Amino acid sequence: WVQAEAPDVLCLQETKCAAAAVPAEVQQLQLLPHQYWSSAEGKAGYSGVGLLTKERPLQVTYGIGDPAHDAEGRVVTAEFPSLFVVSAYVPNAGRRLVRLDYRLQWDDAFRAYLCGLAARKPLALCGDLNVAHQEQDLRHPKANRGSAGFSPQEREGFGRLLAEGFLDSFRCLYPALPHAYTFWTYLGGARERNVGWRLDYALLSQGLRGALCDSRIHPQALGSDHCPISLLLAL
């Protein structure tokens, strides 16, 4: 799928492995020779993100500059001449919201980090943000109200990010498109019945609104309980 799409930048989340353990077929992707990986410290098989690029970035950084959050390997940022690209895997609030307090602390710190970047140059944030923002972003909103990923607090946190001027690229172009999901549980044939959630996003700072060409979801691409999304910008 990656070879057919031939992206300029590929962002991966929940990789669950350190750089040395990345599968050979990924390491050997000739169209994406510049590869940057971050993994959780002391937690093998947990979290982790990657950012792979066709062209070498000007600079790559790991984490958000906050020791309270950076040990889990959740963010890689690449700077290019015209924009920053951020690959992020936002913490899950957990069953019964046991980790909600941490998630809300993360949301505040991550928002501050993104605002700092956007003050320097435009940015695109691509990743698993672990929230369905509106009722149209999951199949059964009433049954999941208060569940991880659809709690009022997490939805409000996403809203605060948009209030800072960041754009949900998919909803900019398809504001009312129903049943557009990026995640389906493996249980109960959810994917076959399209009982899903939209948890994966490409957000843009305001400076890239004019460059937005398309923002797509690819449910036909199998191999995970999430599907890929793609962002097309004219830069």
Side-chain angles (χ1 to χ4, degrees):
W1 185 87
V2 172
Q3 291 175 337
E5 286 291 310
D8 294 303
V9 180
L10 176 67
C11 298
L12 301 172
Q13 294 83 39
E14 201 173 5
T15 54
K16 296 186 177 183
C17 66
V22 172
E25 61 266 31
V26 177
Q27 293 185 30
Q28 296 167 8
L29 283 171
Q30 295 183 0
L31 75 165
L32 295 167
H34 308 289
Q35 303 188 5
Y36 308 93
W37 305 95
S38 182
S39 57
E41 298 175 12
K43 290 185 178 181
Y46 178 77
S47 189
V49 291
L51 192 151
L52 294 74
T53 76
K54 186 180 295 184
E55 304 294 335
R56 186 185 300 276
L58 300 175
Q59 179 178 249
V60 174
T61 58
Y62 301 87
I64 62 174
D66 188 334
H69 301 295
D70 286 348
E72 294 197 350
R74 293 186 176 276
V75 177
V76 175
T77 302
E79 180 181 0
F80 296 94
S82 57
L83 81 166
F84 290 104
V85 178
V86 182
S87 176
Y89 176 42
V90 170
N92 191 305
R95 187 167 297 181
R96 298 182 181 177
L97 304 180
V98 295
R99 216 179 183 210
L100 180 61
D101 287 346
Y102 175 73
R103 165 63 184 270
L104 299 181
Q105 294 168 20
W106 160 274
D107 283 352
D108 289 343
F110 190 44
R111 185 172 64 255
Y113 171 72
L114 295 174
C115 288
L117 289 180
R120 296 165 55 193
K121 66 171 61 173
L123 71 82
L125 164 63
C126 303
D128 178 356
L129 305 191
N130 259 320
V131 62
H133 183 218
Q134 302 288 358
E135 290 193 355
Q136 65 179 335
D137 294 320
L138 71 166
R139 189 62 175 268
H140 295 309
K142 291 182 180 179
N144 286 286
R145 203 175 306 280
S147 299
F150 199 60
S151 68
Q153 298 94 324
E154 291 166 293
R155 296 171 66 193
E156 289 167 6
F158 189 89
R160 284 193 290 272
L161 192 55
L162 299 185
E164 292 286 354
F166 295 99
L167 307 171
D168 178 349
S169 62
F170 184 79
R171 288 303 178 200
C172 282
L173 299 175
Y174 310 104
L177 184 67
H179 310 312
Y181 309 128
T182 67
F183 165 81
W184 305 262
T185 178
Y186 284 126
L187 303 175
R191 190 159 188 167
E192 291 76 10
R193 297 183 294 119
N194 199 28
V195 178
W197 300 55
R198 190 169 73 99
L199 302 179
D200 303 271
Y201 296 79
L203 300 189
L204 303 175
S205 55
Q206 286 282 354
L208 291 175
R209 178 63 181 91
L212 176 59
C213 298
D214 206 355
S215 184
R216 301 173 181 170
I217 295 173
H218 301 274
Q220 76 285 356
L222 305 177
S224 170
D225 52 1
H226 292 251
C227 75
I229 64 172
S230 60
L231 174 68
L232 282 75
L233 299 174
L235 298 173

